[in-house]
Amino acid sequence: MTDEINRVKCVVDSCTYYQNGNKCTANMIEIQPPGASDTQETDCATFQPRSS
């Protein structure tokens, strides 16, 4: 794991990069798709399911 990304809040505790305190430890975050016009159209492409 890396240090958390400052100023990013993540509450998806089923993600590999989730850290307690709603922090994200991914090296980068990719939000898709281009041309989205509202939050309903966006997606975190960085998400990886946490392995059991």
Side-chain angles (χ1 to χ4, degrees):
M1 290 250 173
T2 61
D3 293 334
E4 75 267 7
I5 300 172
N6 293 326
R7 301 186 321 259
V8 173
K9 178 182 179 182
C10 178
V11 298
V12 184
D13 60 0
S14 59
C15 182
T16 298
Y17 302 113
Y18 174 83
Q19 183 178 22
N20 287 336
N22 297 332
K23 296 178 181 164
C24 178
T25 60
N27 290 329
M28 59 160 251
I29 298 175
E30 180 179 342
I31 308 298
Q32 297 184 36
S37 60
D38 62 37
T39 59
Q40 295 296 318
E41 294 180 4
T42 60
D43 178 53
C44 179
T46 308
F47 173 82
Q48 288 185 6
R50 185 181 299 261
S51 57
S52 336

